[in-house]
Amino acid sequence: MKKTLATSAALVAVALLAACGPAEEPVENDDKPADSASPTPTGEEQSGEQALETPYVYPDGFGVALSDFERGKSSDTALPADTDFIGFTIQVENNVGKPVDLGLFTVICKTGEAGDAAEEVFDEGLGGQLTGTVGDGKKATGDFGCVMGPDETKLRVEVSPNYGDDITELPDTVVFAGEIAVDAAE
């Protein structure tokens, strides 16, 4: 039974790694103590959807925050090329009492009224997968981009840290949702 459970856990871990895809750029892991602008543990259980720029802190002290939302158009060498997108920064703060491996961290964007899955954009300055390890009391950031039409306003970002010692005790996915303004210049 233990061998089967261990094998199953290993297969799930491999599947999660495969879903992450290759990282285009390394993560900024500044190994500095967290500052006051970082997500701060509240000690209270949080649930449901978060506003796009409202930090979320898990009961164990691991925090996730989204910021710096900006519309853009990918370059002709990007994947996908010449495509409208929304760019943003994800910052994590580790206050769980031990280093956290970010190797299985996943981000899924959904846009529009129907919440259709949006492809991630890989371009200069984007595609900053959160990988590596972030020490206790430290933070790490990554810049992401997701395809979003110029007239779309609804954005939903699902973040799964997927850290933990036991695959049965993975943190829940946190959902950030809200409206992104349509630029008046377009």
Side-chain angles (χ1 to χ4, degrees):
M1 174 74 173
K2 286 184 181 180
K3 187 174 184 178
T4 303
L5 185 56
T7 302
S8 296
L11 289 173
V12 169
V14 168
L16 288 172
L17 280 172
C20 290
E24 293 292 315
E25 294 183 21
V27 167
E28 291 178 28
N29 187 347
D30 59 14
D31 270 341
K32 290 188 242 174
D35 58 44
S36 60
S38 302
T40 304
T42 62
E44 298 175 14
E45 187 81 26
Q46 299 176 5
S47 62
E49 289 186 352
Q50 298 292 113
L52 286 173
E53 295 192 59
T54 300
Y56 182 87
V57 181
Y58 286 93
D60 65 3
F62 190 83
V64 179
L66 278 57
S67 63
D68 302 325
F69 293 90
E70 187 174 324
R71 289 182 181 267
K73 189 164 191 92
S74 63
S75 70
D76 61 349
T77 59
L79 291 174
D82 299 315
T83 302
D84 292 303
F85 70 91
I86 184 71
F88 56 94
T89 299
I90 296 179
Q91 178 179 298
V92 298
E93 182 180 336
N94 177 12
N95 288 308
V96 301
K98 63 181 180 178
V100 169
D101 181 0
L102 300 174
L104 297 178
F105 201 96
T106 59
V107 177
I108 298 171
C109 295
K110 296 181 178 178
T111 61
E113 291 292 330
D116 296 325
E119 185 177 358
E120 187 172 351
V121 175
F122 295 92
D123 202 355
E124 185 173 335
L126 297 175
Q129 298 289 338
L130 287 165
T131 59
T133 300
V134 61
D136 184 46
K138 309 294 183 196
K139 59 187 175 179
T141 60
D143 293 320
F144 290 79
C146 297
V147 173
M148 185 173 193
D151 297 328
E152 291 290 343
T153 60
K154 294 193 182 293
L155 176 65
R156 180 181 171 108
V157 181
E158 299 175 4
V159 179
S160 300
N162 291 338
Y163 66 89
D165 295 331
D166 181 347
I167 200 154
T168 63
E169 297 178 8
L170 295 176
D172 293 330
T173 297
V174 61
V175 177
F176 297 90
E179 299 277 330
I180 300 294
V182 174
D183 289 334
E186 292 182 0

